[in-house]
Amino acid sequence: MAPPVAPAPLSLGRLAPRPLAVGFVALSGALAGLVALPVPWPITAVVLGAVALGSLCAMVVGLRANAPARRGPFEVLLLGVALLMAGGFLRLADHSLGVLGPGRALRGDVVVLVGSVVVAFAFSVLARAPYPDGRANLDTVLEGLVAGLSAFALGWVEVVAPAVSGTDALSFERGALPIPAALGVYTLVVALIGIRPRAPRAGAARGLVAAAGLLAAADGLYLAADVGRPVPHRLLAPAFVLAAGCFGGSFLHPTVRRLFGGRFQPPAAAARVRDRLVAVVLAPAVLAIVGLTGPPRPAEERVVLGVFGALTVCLAAWRVGRAVRTSALREAELAHEVAHDPLTGLGNRTLVERAISAALAEGARAGELVAVVLLDLDRFKLVNEGHSYSSGDRLLVEVGERLTRTFGRRGVVARVGGDEFVVVVYPVGGGLAARREAELAQRALAAPFDLYGDQLSVSASVGVAVGSGAEPTADAESLLRDADTAMYQAKGSGRDMVTLFDDSMRDRIADRLALEHDLRLAIEREEFRLAFQPIVTLREGEPTVAGLEALLRWERPTRGLVPASVFIECAEAGGLLTEIGDWVIRESARWLALWRRLPGAEGLFVSVNVSALHLKSHNLSARIRRVLAETGLDPDALCVELAEPTLMEQPTEGVALVLGLRDLGVRLAVDDFGNGYSSLAHLRQFPVDYVKIDRRFIEGLVGEDSTEVSLVAAIVAMARDIDAVTVAEGVEHELQERVLRELGCELAQGFFYARPVPGDEVVPTLRAISPRQGLRLVTGDGGAGRPGR
């Protein structure tokens, strides 16, 4: 067992703990309460000295232990606080409080004045931390100056001038006495606006704001007491003690390291800015009210009020003007952001709709047409996946630049989607002219793009819609929709094509929407039907039934029988294929359970097609297991057919899915083999039971060309190599059956044996296939003649 590790001693290079900061402030508060009591002066002097020295030490320790990212502002603040304390003790030593005239020692006042300037400067630097290069820095200083100058003018007129009037006070005294208090007000305003006592810098920020407020209050009380106003002297010492304690505690708090150079904070809310502007305007208003009310004032006071009133009015006007300009700039930025794409700088859908509307309005007056060209980059997803997302972004930017250069001022170019661009061209001469504009856009993308050293060729499917403002139904939304419809028609026709919209496309879209709507209700209304086509053995003699394939049919009430090729694609696009696939499995199992109760039919299996989407759906194996339990079927009574591309496009994922079904015990078949990759190397990865040969190869067995015969023979040999049974699809002629027997194919299905029939006609159909054997069906090995695996 390892020996215990002794705790490392606390060093000044580590963060000072929060309790130390809180404890220091609490101790300062207790000492402030002590000196507020009527205690002898020596005790008060000792407390002031101890707190002053302790605060300076705490600031030094906190600065070193917490190590802020920028030490300069804190070192300047430390210097300013030290000067304030030194000046305060010089005042005490010289007993200058309340002494006005030649007998007053000024060294303490000078040091305090310098210290106040240094502290105000340090707070100004700290206040710019959230916005090191922002406009908010000058705004904060302006607001602080308005408050500070107003405080100076009011302090001089209301406090200093009456006290020094008729005395032989020195000029320095007459002008400098209110400055520390005015700088204290400036510092407090700057701290409140700029330092922002919010997480994650709340502790230290609150301490500094409190210190600034206490310092401003202490300077104000000292000024009043200095000119003979009735201020209890025992209030002066507690204010200075608390201010010193807050300075020390803020430096000791760990969050001081995040005060400058920390996380950027968003600008103040609009309501807060408005409140600050109201305060800025009120300050010169107060000076005006003071100057215009009350008894007549001496010329000196009127001059001070006039000069400082004018200064504050100028500063307030400057600040308000900056706020107005900032607001206007922000509104312009927001308007630009609303109408422009942040990546490419092109217009977005909002801007392009405005451009189309404006062109339609102009076209209605001039009798001219507007063309909307919508480009969708082909296989853009492969760029992101094969290169990088930064390459994809770079491609979008360059596509936008090429389109902008191509159309110049003749068209408005916008990015309206991930990889979709729109060009609005006005005017155009008609559909052919609009097509030429679209082809021009295609040619702009013909040259390869250089993406960080990789040369990449890109094509686009383009849809074009042409409209006139004279048409009552023409608007920006409809033209964009029509161009989008044409673009999808181009993409569906093979990509890298231009398609001009016509009304028949709109009709097809309406039909597609109606089809999808009816399809959503088909299961609920029980409109789906299953047809079953027998799968027979190819042994010598009469064919024997090995199983059946379940084929889905939809009897649409308004249109009759809908081909599966039509509604399966619609179901997949509408996200309905999984629900329909579950129904097919459940209904096939229900029928099979009935047939297998008949004598001699115990080994009959049913084969169902499962799409890629259904195969990847959540808990497919669990749902199949539940269906088998409900119907009492053995797992090998169900065969799941998977299209070859479903397995081959993502082999790793396909293997995992197939293994999950194999663990369940169901049979597996590869459907339409030869129509996709046809690679034995790929097929070896999948433990399938059946390989179904695509009907296109079977059709060629009746011709003179021997190519199909060789291909079928190769597929049979490939399947036998992985111990799988081959099933020939689409057998319609006796010659096809004879060739398949000779090639060694083991099972077949097609019109030559039976057409697909409803479930209640299956038994008569099976008897018709093998009349002398009745329902004697192949069991055990699925008709292959080999032992089950």
Side-chain angles (χ1 to χ4, degrees), residues 640-661:
V640 174
E641 292 189 13
L642 309 170
E644 184 184 353
T646 301
L647 295 175
M648 303 304 184
E649 286 180 358
Q650 294 180 319
T652 302
E653 186 178 20
V655 169
L657 294 169
V658 167
L659 291 178
L661 293 174

Side-chain angles (χ1 to χ4, degrees), residues 49-83:
V51 171
L53 182 60
S55 297
L56 293 176
C57 291
M59 295 174 75
V60 172
V61 170
L63 187 59
R64 184 172 180 184
N66 295 317
R70 293 278 300 276
R71 297 172 60 93
F74 300 98
E75 292 172 345
V76 172
L77 182 56
L78 173 60
L79 173 62
V81 172
L83 289 172

Side-chain angles (χ1 to χ4, degrees), residues 311-507:
L311 284 174
T312 54
V313 167
C314 292
L315 291 174
W318 188 7
R319 176 65 183 95
V320 172
R322 286 175 57 83
V324 171
R325 288 194 299 274
T326 301
S327 178
L329 289 173
R330 183 57 183 160
E331 288 181 4
E333 290 174 359
L334 289 175
H336 185 273
E337 290 174 3
V338 167
H340 289 78
D341 171 47
L343 175 63
T344 62
L346 300 174
N348 58 15
R349 189 178 186 90
T350 300
L351 185 141
V352 85
E353 287 180 352
R354 294 175 185 170
I356 295 172
S357 299
L360 286 173
E362 178 65 24
R365 293 189 294 269
E368 294 173 325
L369 300 176
V370 180
V372 176
V373 180
L374 192 150
L375 302 88
D376 183 90
L377 302 184
D378 297 328
R379 300 182 179 88
F380 176 73
K381 183 179 178 181
L382 297 179
V383 177
N384 285 333
E385 295 177 350
H387 295 267
S388 66
Y389 284 96
S390 60
S391 295
D393 290 345
R394 182 60 193 164
L395 174 62
L396 295 174
V397 171
E398 291 197 13
V399 167
E401 291 175 351
R402 288 194 186 184
L403 293 175
T404 301
R405 288 195 300 269
T406 300
F407 290 93
R409 296 185 178 181
R410 295 189 304 109
V412 175
V413 181
R415 178 185 174 218
V416 296
D419 58 345
E420 291 184 351
F421 293 82
V422 167
V423 183
V424 181
V425 183
Y426 172 81
V428 291
L432 292 178
R435 174 181 284 275
R436 285 195 295 271
E437 298 289 357
E439 292 170 348
L440 182 62
Q442 271 193 321
R443 287 197 296 272
L445 309 183
F449 290 84
D450 186 358
L451 302 180
Y452 303 111
D454 295 331
Q455 296 294 315
L456 183 66
S457 296
V458 174
S459 64
S461 300
V462 186
V464 186
V466 180
S468 169
E471 301 172 6
T473 58
D475 56 25
E477 184 177 356
S478 63
L479 283 179
L480 282 171
R481 183 184 63 242
D482 293 346
D484 188 64
T485 300
M487 181 273 293
Y488 276 105
Q489 181 76 19
K491 193 173 287 289
S493 300
R495 296 187 175 91
D496 194 19
M497 298 183 66
V498 174
T499 301
L500 187 65
F501 177 82
D502 60 59
D503 291 337
S504 65
M505 295 181 187
R506 187 182 292 117
D507 295 337

Side-chain angles (χ1 to χ4, degrees), residues 8 116 194 221 223 296 304 338 354 371 477 521 533 553 729 738:
S116 298
L221 290 173
L223 174 63
V304 170
V338 167
R354 294 175 185 170
E477 184 177 356
L521 302 175
Q533 186 173 41
R553 301 287 187 264
E729 296 181 291
R738 186 166 62 251

